[in-house]
């Protein structure tokens, strides 16, 4: 893709600039010459033909907008002369046929993971400490301060500074010169070697602002989400802190866990503060029980597992005009290969599927799933309209600046993460992934709310594509970030794991980059490589309250 411009689909009547193009530049598309009427920035689009007001504009072979002004051939397509439009959708009329990709390179591939009694395999081994209500957040902080650093789980940065060394030197009368030449910084990789529990990857403290107030639906949804985290294959067990009087009762969480895993057998401890002798006693008990849980979790060791045990979350955020032609389709190929191997992939962010509903309906294996998808999309859209918004308001200022000027344009590129495989299931928020293949999961487009939901539905690894850069991570699922362009990778290499910008420059094809992503996933899933988000301690956790969030 090393040309200066590209027409993505033969039906498209706009063209993407791969590099900055000057006014007067001559482009030839399908033997048709287009002379640019103005400068076109990289990632932005120009008209392949003349448009009158109301004319339909296509990209990725999908209707992405309508002209609001007369647009001459060779002029830029902008947020001023093009408005969001999406096509009507209906029931599928024919059975979907899929040609699976070549999987010969990965047929015998394995990863080393943590095998659970329910047959799932984790890519990590975490212990959770969870408040059922925001009133317990301070107690969570106290428990974290008591356990995290003492056990070698300093997670907020990729190194620690040990001031205690300087204190001891000062007490012993060390000179300023000695103090200045004493190493006190320890990288996270070395800290791991000092952990008491070598087989436990971390203790994660899932603070939140829910559990009481709001609606009962909010607390029920929170309990379903937390149950998803507890039953996730990356989790060994959990300590649950309850105040006692909140909406999110222990019994609701217990019921939610049973629904997700009828034979649940992980270690889990419930403590209720209003039944305790004192706050001190309450915290002491929580620390002791968590410590005992960690001793049990440490008995589990990594063992070989087939790639079919991977549940891959597909996410994008801070997208740009290259996301839909490099990182997203490359991840889509990764998804297709994994599905062909018997694994699972999950496409989320329903506001960013607006405009490609028909394609996804056509790919649904059952009528029930197609109807469920339609119902959720219609309900979501109606809720947004009811509060004076709509899917058309999804693109962020950064998206628009970098070439994504309508929601349907953004959606058509975002949906490429889901590859081309059939849709085997449609899940509402916090519903568990139970089938191999591609599932659709209802989450907002908001990056953290969506990644929070993916892990809550069982994803044991997430690949997050980005065009502008984001430090987003997740407490329990490794979030592997992939840049859509090389400039971003060079600029933000400290938070980006893989560069898919080589697709734009022609060094990689969509397929070869998809295979590189899968090879990297295997390393991360085996614990051989820590993703940048983990190195930075980026444990983002924001439960969705089911209000309007785009």
């Amino acid at each position: 893709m090393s040309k200066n411009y590209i027409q993505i689909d033969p039906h498209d009547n706009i063209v993407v600039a791969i590099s900055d193009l000057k006014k007067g530049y001559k482009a030839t598309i399908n033997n048709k010459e287009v002379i640019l009427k103005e400068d076109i920035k990289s990632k932005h689009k120009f008209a392949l033909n003349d448009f009158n007001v109301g004319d339909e504009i296509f990209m990725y072979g999908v209707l992405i907008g309508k002209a609001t002004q007369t647009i001459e051939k060779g002029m830029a397509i902008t947020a001023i002369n093009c408005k969001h439009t999406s096509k009507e959708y209906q029931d599928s009329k024919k059975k979907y046929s899929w040609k699976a990709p070549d999987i010969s390179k990965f047929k015998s591939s394995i990863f080393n993971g943590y095998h659970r009694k329910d047959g799932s395999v984790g890519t990590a081994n975490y212990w959770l400490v969870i408040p059922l209500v925001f009133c317990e957040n301070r107690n969570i902080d106290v428990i974290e301060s008591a356990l995290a650093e003492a056990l070698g789980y300093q997670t907020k940065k990729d190194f620690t500074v040990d001031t205690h060394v300087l204190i001891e030197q000062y007490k012993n009368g060390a000179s300023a010169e000695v103090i200045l030449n004493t190493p006190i910084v320890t990288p996270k990789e070395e800290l791991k070697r000092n952990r008491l529990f070598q087989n436990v990857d971390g203790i994660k403290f899932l603070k939140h602002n829910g559990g009481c107030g709001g609606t009962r639906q909010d607390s029920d949804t929170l309990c379903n989400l937390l149950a998803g985290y507890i039953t996730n294959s990356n989790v060994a067990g959990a300590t649950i802190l309850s105040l006692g009087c909140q909406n999110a009762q222990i019994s609701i969480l217990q019921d939610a866990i049973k629904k997700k895993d009828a034979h649940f057998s992980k270690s889990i401890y419930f403590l209720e503060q209003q039944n305790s002798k004192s706050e001190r006693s309450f915290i002491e008990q929580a620390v002791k029980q968590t410590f005992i849980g960690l001793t049990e979790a440490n008995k589990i060791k990594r063992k070989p597992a087939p790639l079919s045990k991977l549940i891959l979350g597909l996410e994008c955020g801070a997208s740009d005009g290259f996301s839909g032609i490099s990182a997203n389709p490359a991840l889509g190929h990764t998804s297709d290969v994994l599905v062909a191997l018997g694994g699972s992939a999950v496409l989320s962010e329903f506001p960013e599927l607006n405009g490609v509903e028909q394609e996804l309906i056509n790919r649904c294996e059952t009528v029930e799933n197609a109807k469920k998808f339609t119902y959720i999309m219609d309900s979501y859209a109606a809720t947004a309209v009811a509060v004076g918004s709509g899917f058309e308001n999804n693109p962020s200022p950064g998206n628009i600046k970098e070439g994504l000027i309508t929601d349907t344009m953004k959606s058509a590129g975002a949906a490429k993460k889901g590859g081309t495989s059939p849709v085997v299931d449609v899940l509402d928020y916090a519903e568990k992934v139970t089938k191999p293949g591609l599932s659709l999961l209802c989450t907002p487009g908001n990056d953290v709310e969506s990644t929070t939901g993916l892990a809550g539905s069982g994803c044991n690894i997430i690949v997050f594509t980005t065009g502008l850069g984001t430090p987003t991570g997740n407490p329990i699922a490794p979030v592997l970030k992939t840049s859509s362009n090389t400039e971003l990778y060079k600029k933000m290499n400290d938070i980006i794991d893989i560069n898919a910008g080589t697709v734009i420059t022609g060094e990689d094809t969509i397929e070869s980059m998809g295979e590189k992503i899968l090879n990297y996933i295997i390393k991360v899933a085996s614990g051989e490589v820590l993703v940048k988000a983990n190195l930075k301690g980026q444990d983002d956790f924001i439960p969705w309250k089911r209000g309007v969030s785009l």
Side-chain angles (χ1 to χ4, degrees):
M1 198 189 294
S2 55
K3 289 169 60 177
N4 292 326
Y5 52 86
I6 181 173
Q7 180 190 30
I8 297 171
D9 186 275
H11 298 98
D12 293 353
N13 48 21
I14 62 176
V15 176
V16 184
I18 299 301
S19 57
D20 290 343
L21 303 176
K22 293 293 184 182
K23 179 181 178 179
Y25 179 90
K26 293 181 181 180
T28 304
I29 298 105
N30 298 328
N31 299 317
K32 182 178 178 182
E33 187 176 82
V34 179
I35 301 174
L36 299 188
K37 298 281 198 307
E38 54 191 317
D39 292 347
I40 308 294
K41 287 183 179 180
S42 170
K43 306 178 186 178
H44 288 256
K45 292 83 188 170
F46 60 88
L48 189 53
N49 51 253
D50 294 335
F51 293 93
N52 294 316
V53 175
D55 283 353
E56 295 181 334
I57 300 175
F58 289 85
M59 184 176 167
Y60 300 103
V62 173
L63 175 66
I64 59 91
K66 287 186 178 181
T68 58
Q69 300 175 356
T70 298
I71 306 171
E72 295 180 30
K73 181 171 70 171
M75 288 180 63
I77 304 299
T78 70
I80 296 172
N81 62 25
C82 174
K83 70 174 182 180
H84 166 86
T85 309
S86 60
K87 221 171 185 63
E88 297 281 327
Y89 47 91
Q90 57 191 3
D91 293 343
S92 177
K93 301 297 181 185
K94 59 181 181 179
K95 188 173 177 61
Y96 183 69
S97 176
W98 182 55
K99 183 181 178 182
D102 179 13
I103 58 172
S104 56
K105 291 180 184 177
F106 296 95
K107 218 162 190 181
S108 58
S109 296
I110 58 165
F111 72 101
N112 287 311
Y114 295 96
H115 292 246
R116 308 298 179 190
K117 290 181 180 178
D118 64 358
S120 65
V121 181
T123 64
N125 193 33
Y126 290 113
W127 187 273
L128 303 183
V129 182
I130 305 174
L132 273 181
V133 63
F134 58 82
C135 308
E136 291 297 323
N137 282 346
R138 178 190 169 277
N139 289 334
I140 295 292
D141 287 337
V142 175
I143 295 168
E144 181 173 8
S145 67
L147 289 172
E149 193 166 354
L151 297 178
Y153 297 114
Q154 175 54 265
T155 59
K156 300 303 180 188
K157 45 204 170 196
D158 49 4
F159 60 87
T160 61
V161 179
D162 192 353
T163 310
H164 294 292
V165 173
L166 302 182
I167 293 170
E168 287 304 312
Q169 286 189 332
Y170 173 75
K171 286 179 178 178
N172 293 326
S175 66
E177 185 180 354
V178 170
I179 289 174
L180 287 172
N181 287 293
T182 300
I184 60 170
V185 174
T186 307
K188 182 170 280 189
E189 306 90 85
E190 289 184 32
L191 287 171
K192 185 177 180 181
R193 288 197 289 270
N194 298 327
R195 287 178 185 169
L196 178 61
F197 303 115
Q198 286 293 309
N199 296 321
V200 180
D201 294 303
I203 312 168
K204 299 297 183 176
F205 304 86
L206 305 187
K207 292 191 296 182
H208 56 82
N209 63 0
C212 205
T215 66
R216 293 301 174 94
Q217 183 195 26
D218 287 341
S219 55
D220 289 348
T221 299
L222 176 64
C223 285
N224 280 325
L225 177 71
L226 296 177
Y229 272 67
I230 294 164
T231 57
N232 188 293
S233 60
N234 287 0
V235 172
T239 304
I240 312 298
L241 271 58
S242 168
L243 178 61
C245 57
Q246 74 277 349
N247 287 343
Q249 289 286 300
I250 289 175
S251 59
I252 299 174
L253 177 60
Q254 289 172 326
D255 288 344
I257 291 171
K258 281 182 183 176
K259 285 178 184 175
K260 292 180 186 296
D261 184 357
H263 305 289
F264 181 77
S265 60
K266 293 179 182 178
S267 298
I268 187 166
Y269 307 115
F270 294 97
L271 297 99
E272 194 157 277
Q273 187 169 4
Q274 289 171 348
N275 285 334
S276 65
K277 296 175 184 176
S278 65
E279 185 179 87
R280 180 184 297 179
S281 171
F282 178 66
I283 290 174
E284 182 181 18
Q285 192 66 16
V287 169
K288 287 177 178 178
Q289 291 196 319
T290 300
F291 190 88
I292 291 169
L294 290 166
T295 65
E296 291 299 312
N298 195 51
K299 295 175 182 177
I300 307 168
K301 296 182 179 180
R302 289 185 183 271
K303 294 178 182 178
L307 299 190
S308 59
K309 294 296 183 178
L310 291 175
I311 305 177
L312 173 63
L314 310 169
E315 181 71 22
C316 62
S319 299
D320 71 348
F322 285 166
S323 293
I325 58 178
S326 61
N328 288 352
L331 179 54
H333 184 69
T334 305
S335 171
D336 283 345
V337 172
L338 183 60
V339 166
L341 289 164
S344 304
V346 186
L347 181 62
S348 58
E349 300 180 288
F350 272 30
E352 296 178 13
L353 299 180
N354 177 224
V356 293
E357 294 97 339
Q358 190 63 61
E359 178 200 336
L360 294 170
I361 289 168
N362 294 345
R363 287 165 60 182
C364 285
E365 285 193 332
T366 67
V367 172
E368 292 75 20
N369 278 330
K371 287 183 176 178
K372 184 175 180 180
F373 175 62
T374 300
Y375 172 77
I376 294 175
M377 287 295 288
D378 288 346
S379 301
Y380 203 150
T383 304
V385 170
V387 295
S389 188
F391 287 159
E392 66 272 14
N393 294 317
N394 176 267
S396 69
N399 293 150
I400 295 168
K401 181 183 176 183
E402 295 298 318
L404 299 177
I405 60 173
T406 73
D407 185 52
T408 38
M409 179 186 287
K410 183 179 179 181
S411 296
K416 296 292 182 184
K417 303 190 302 292
T420 59
S421 66
V423 174
V424 299
D425 211 354
V426 176
L427 308 170
D428 204 351
Y429 184 71
E431 283 190 304
K432 185 177 181 178
V433 176
T434 59
K435 299 177 181 177
L438 178 67
S439 295
L440 306 181
L441 172 65
C442 180
T443 71
N446 176 291
D447 299 345
V448 177
E449 287 178 329
S450 184
T451 51
T452 298
L454 283 165
S457 287
C459 292
N460 54 17
I461 195 162
I462 297 170
V463 175
F464 189 122
T465 65
T466 180
L468 303 176
T470 170
T472 305
N474 181 266
I476 65 168
V479 178
L480 192 167
K481 277 187 302 295
T482 305
S483 67
S484 70
N485 62 88
T486 301
E487 183 183 355
L488 170 64
Y489 182 72
K490 289 178 178 177
K491 184 172 64 175
M492 302 182 78
N493 184 253
D494 56 334
I495 62 172
I496 306 292
D497 299 283
I498 293 181
N499 175 29
T502 51
V503 173
I504 300 295
T505 56
E507 298 159 67
D508 273 296
T509 63
I510 295 295
E511 292 74 20
S512 67
M513 178 50 62
E515 290 174 1
K516 285 182 179 179
I517 293 172
L518 184 51
N519 278 318
Y520 205 96
I521 286 171
I522 294 169
K523 290 180 181 178
V524 173
S526 298
E528 296 171 17
V529 176
L530 272 181
V531 296
K532 302 290 177 65
N534 281 10
L535 285 171
K536 296 289 181 183
Q538 195 78 32
D539 291 339
D540 300 314
F541 179 75
I542 303 180
W544 184 26
K545 286 190 174 182
R546 297 310 299 262
V548 176
S549 179
L550 298 177

